[in-house]
Amino acid sequence: MTTKDLHTHTTYCDGANTPGEMVLSAIDKGLTAIGISGHSYTFFDTSYCMQKEDIPRYIAELHYLRAKYFDRIHVLCGVEQDYYSDYPTDEFDYVIGSVHYLKCGEEYVPVDEKPEILRKAAEKYFGGDIYALCGEYFRTVADVVNKTGCDIIGHFDLITKFQEKEPLFDTAHPRYIAAWKAAADELLKAGVPFEINMGAISRGYRTSPYPGREIMEYLKEHGGKLVLSSDAHSTDAIAYKFDEFESSI
C-alpha cells in the first residue's frame, strides 16, 4: 500500500492550507511520508507560484516541520519545477518536473488554465492545427527530465485536462498518439518514474488520473515506473483515491 504522497501544494503557492496543516492531515491519514512540492518561481507568471523572496522561508519551515514530527512522519521539502523556471533546485530534497506552458514566440501559453486559451493559441501560432500544438507540447514534455533534472515526471498529459467536459481534440487521433508515444519513449530512457496524478479528479475536471489509461498501460509495458501522487491543493485531497488506483502501479 502506498503510504507516501510527494505532490502537494500549500499557501506558499496556490494551495489552500499551510505546510503544518498539510503535514498534520497526512499524519491523520496514516501516511509515513509527505512531500510538499511548491510550484517553482516562474518569472513570466507569478500568479500561482512561490514568490522568489519566500522560498528560503519555505525551505526553513519544511525543515522545522521535519524535525518537529520526525517520530510521526517523514517530511520532505520538494519543488514542482516548471520546464521554463530558471530558479535553482539544489536546496530541495526532490524535484517534480512539469510542463505547464508552451513557449510560442515570446508568449508563455498555459496549457491547463482554460480550453479557450489553447484554441486561440492553435489559431495564432499553429494555423488552427490543434494537433501541431499537441505535438509541440509533447516535444517539450520529452525534454523535461533533461531540463529540470527531476526525480518524478509530473502529469505527463496535462494538456488533456479539459477533455472530458470540453474536448479540444481526439485522443485517438494518430497524430496525437504519435506525439505522446515519442515523448514517452524519450522519457522512458531516463528511468525516472511517472506520476499517476489525481489532481484533476479531486478538483472536478476529470474522472480518471493523468496519464490516460492507454498511456499508463504503454508506460508499464515498456518498463516505466509509476508512483501515486495527489497533487493536493488542500488537506482533504492528500492521498486522494490512492486506494482505488493502487493496482495501477
Side-chain angles (χ1 to χ4, degrees):
M1 178 180 175
T2 299
T3 58
K4 63 181 179 181
D5 188 352
L6 299 182
H7 192 161
T8 68
H9 298 284
T10 71
T11 49
Y12 275 97
C13 52
D14 57 351
N17 294 97
T18 65
E21 290 168 339
M22 296 293 275
V23 170
L24 287 174
S25 180
I27 292 171
D28 289 343
K29 292 175 188 290
L31 298 189
T32 60
I34 180 72
I36 308 297
S37 53
H39 284 293
S40 60
Y41 174 75
T42 46
F43 63 91
F44 52 88
D45 181 3
T46 60
S47 62
Y48 76 104
C49 65
M50 294 192 288
Q51 303 306 299
K52 188 182 291 187
E53 62 272 18
D54 292 336
I55 294 175
R57 183 163 56 90
Y58 165 81
I59 294 170
E61 183 168 351
L62 267 294
H63 288 177
Y64 165 77
L65 291 170
R66 178 186 300 168
K68 182 176 181 179
Y69 296 109
F70 79 95
D71 57 345
R72 301 174 69 186
I73 194 169
H74 184 42
V75 178
L76 291 158
C77 176
V79 64
E80 184 177 9
Q81 186 78 355
D82 183 77
Y83 184 87
Y84 291 107
S85 175
D86 60 3
Y87 195 89
T89 60
D90 312 56
E91 294 186 82
F92 300 105
D93 295 324
Y94 67 98
V95 176
I96 299 172
S98 296
V99 175
H100 298 98
Y101 303 88
L102 288 178
K103 191 170 188 295
C104 302
E106 296 303 310
E107 182 181 0
Y108 293 88
V109 178
V111 302
D112 63 339
E113 194 169 305
K114 293 178 182 177
E116 188 58 28
I117 291 175
L118 292 177
R119 289 193 190 96
K120 289 180 177 178
E123 291 293 333
K124 184 176 180 180
Y125 296 108
F126 298 93
D129 185 350
I130 193 67
Y131 295 101
L133 183 150
C134 291
E136 183 61 25
Y137 168 77
F138 281 113
R139 278 190 290 276
T140 307
V141 171
D143 191 48
V144 74
V145 173
N146 178 58
K147 180 67 160 53
T148 68
C150 61
D151 304 289
I152 300 170
I153 297 163
H155 38 57
F156 175 80
D157 57 347
L158 181 64
I159 200 167
T160 62
K161 178 176 178 177
F162 309 107
Q163 282 298 107
E164 287 191 23
K165 296 184 176 180
E166 295 184 64
L168 289 162
F169 46 83
D170 181 3
T171 56
H173 193 286
R175 290 174 64 197
Y176 180 80
I177 293 172
W180 71 250
K181 281 188 175 179
D185 290 345
E186 186 62 30
L187 292 171
L188 283 164
K189 297 174 187 176
V192 174
F194 297 74
E195 65 173 6
I196 300 176
N197 181 303
M198 308 297 174
I201 311 178
S202 63
R203 293 193 287 282
Y205 293 102
R206 293 168 56 114
T207 57
S208 60
Y210 306 110
R213 175 60 62 182
E214 184 180 359
I215 298 174
M216 201 183 300
E217 292 304 319
Y218 183 88
L219 295 173
K220 289 165 68 175
E221 288 168 7
H222 291 78
K225 303 171 189 174
L226 301 172
V227 295
L228 294 175
S229 294
S230 71
D231 200 348
H233 285 64
S234 57
T235 55
D236 59 320
I238 292 172
Y240 189 80
K241 291 188 179 291
F242 276 17
D243 55 339
E244 292 185 26
F245 290 94
E246 185 75 33
S247 62
S248 297
I249 61 175

